[in-house]
Amino acid sequence: MNVFDWLSHMGIPEVDNFDIVEVKFKGGRKEYFRNVDFLALNTGDPVVVDVPSGHHIGYVSLQGELVRLQMQKRKIRNDDEILRIYRVANQKDMEKWGEAQNREIPTLYRCRQIVEEFGLKMKMSDVEYQADNSKATFYYSADDRVDFRELIKALAGEFRIRVEMRQISLRQEAGRLGGIGVCGRELCCSTWLVDFKNVSTSAARYQNLSLNPGKLSGQCGRLKCCLNYELDTYIDAIKDIPSIDRPLQTESGPAKLQKTDIFRKLMWFSYNNDNDWHSITCERVKEILEINEKGKKVFTLQYNEASEIEDLAAKSTRELELLDKKFASSSPKRKKKPRPQNRNSGGNRNQQGSNKPDSKPNKPEAQQNANQGPRPAGDQPKKRRNKNRNKPRNPDANAGQTPATQPQQPKAKGGPPKRQNVQKPKPAEGNAGNASTNDAKPKPQAKKRFPPRKNQGPNPNKPGNE
């Protein structure tokens, strides 16, 4: 468990420097030792300290005035019971301590086998060897009290060392082993948490959490310590929330409480355990409770009487009418186009027609053209030409025949005309000129000549190119 010295950058007088140093050992265990020789120590330095049964090696975790505050917090007295620091650990001390640490894992496995042989209901979690290799401390956890006198004799005879048994709680066991919590960070008990407070299920009830043991329990199997972190804030916020012992009485039926949002001051109710929830404020809930205490019922959770809903509907209708009037007056009116006046005089009529054409003619176009008579050739209306309309499908059969001379098939009644294979007569050579109305012979179609390809000479097979 690392500790940050918040007072390291402050100008504390060095004359009255606190001579007690906090030293960290395996598993996050911390103890306090006196720096009698005033050694120049830094955070993280390995030091050799005095213990009741020899000497041990630990790392400096905190020093200075902040140690005094930690001792006051843990209620540790500054008296002669505090042991001293011998020296800063050298290379020889570290090698000897490393050999003792290498024995811990094999000892733990063998100890678990011996516990199973004795049939004791205890769980061995960790073993710690002293740096001078003269003592081993066995940490275990158990639900009930265990008689381990025979176990101590067996362990001392097996490992030839003095044995100390120390029982720890499940929270302390999780702190010694370490791990990652559901929040994604390292466990609080293995980093900074030292004092384990009691956590009850009421802390989860105050925070409106589901009482699911799988979600509320930590790696130690007990309730999470972080449930107490925000408990005070929730207790202060709950003071403004009304307590509901029975459903709210309304004309639509009894409304039961389903959910409460403490910080938003909202409460959700449902009629007759329906799936539809209605949210109202805490002030509205208090108002309904006062009305129910008088023996009366409210119309709904939102309104006390039905007239309030009718007034609200009428108000919304008036607002819609005002909006309709507003948009109707603001929309621009379309101007109607003036129609042309029909006058008797033909000159004026032609002048109006030359300036502005009539949008709606009085007579249809076919009747007007019949009255006016045939138009000259230059005044014929232009029609859209279709290039493929007069093109014959079989140029050899219809070479000398115009579209006017082709026989027309009569249309059958009652359905589409059927296609018939009719042989078309070939025009005579002498009457070829009478086929056309202009007495002109049809000119043979000239063959298209394509230019030679690039990088290629004339065709040698052509008789003119020999």
Side-chain angles (χ1 to χ4, degrees), residues 3 44 57 156 169 177 207 209 229-230 237 250 257 273 403 418 445:
V3 179
I57 295 178
S169 63
L177 298 177
Q207 302 177 41
L209 299 176
Y229 296 165
E230 300 178 356
T250 63
L257 178 63
N273 294 327
K418 297 182 180 180
Q445 295 181 358

Side-chain angles (χ1 to χ4, degrees), residues 66-103:
L66 200 59
V67 180
R68 190 197 303 272
L69 300 177
Q70 291 289 339
M71 293 178 65
Q72 293 177 1
K73 181 180 178 181
R74 297 188 181 185
K75 299 179 181 181
I76 298 177
R77 297 180 180 180
N78 186 5
D79 52 10
D80 296 338
E81 295 182 0
I82 298 177
L83 302 178
R84 60 189 294 267
I85 298 175
Y86 286 134
R87 62 184 181 276
V88 178
N90 51 28
Q91 186 66 25
K92 187 176 180 180
D93 296 332
M94 297 299 294
E95 291 177 357
K96 189 175 181 180
W97 186 36
E99 295 176 358
Q101 288 179 338
N102 294 333
R103 298 179 57 187

Side-chain angles (χ1 to χ4, degrees), residues 22-68:
E22 185 183 64
V23 180
K24 181 180 66 176
F25 299 97
K26 181 184 177 181
R29 180 173 59 90
K30 295 179 180 180
E31 295 183 5
Y32 298 92
F33 298 91
R34 194 181 300 278
N35 188 6
V36 179
D37 299 333
F38 298 100
L39 301 174
L41 302 176
N42 296 319
T43 303
D45 291 344
V47 292
V48 180
V49 297
D50 184 16
V51 291
S53 59
H55 66 273
H56 198 24
I57 295 178
Y59 293 93
V60 177
S61 60
L62 196 65
Q63 58 181 344
E65 293 295 326
L66 200 59
V67 180
R68 190 197 303 272

Side-chain angles (χ1 to χ4, degrees), residues 357-416:
D358 294 339
S359 59
K360 295 181 179 180
N362 297 329
K363 296 182 179 181
E365 185 178 357
Q367 186 178 358
Q368 186 177 2
N369 294 337
N371 297 334
Q372 291 180 2
R375 295 184 182 181
D379 296 339
Q380 292 293 334
K382 294 182 180 181
K383 297 182 179 180
R384 184 176 180 183
R385 295 181 180 180
N386 190 354
K387 296 180 181 181
N388 299 327
R389 178 180 294 176
N390 298 328
K391 188 176 180 181
R393 295 182 179 178
N394 191 357
D396 297 337
N398 301 332
Q401 187 178 2
T402 59
T405 61
Q406 292 180 0
Q408 297 181 357
Q409 298 178 2
K411 297 182 180 179
K413 296 182 180 180

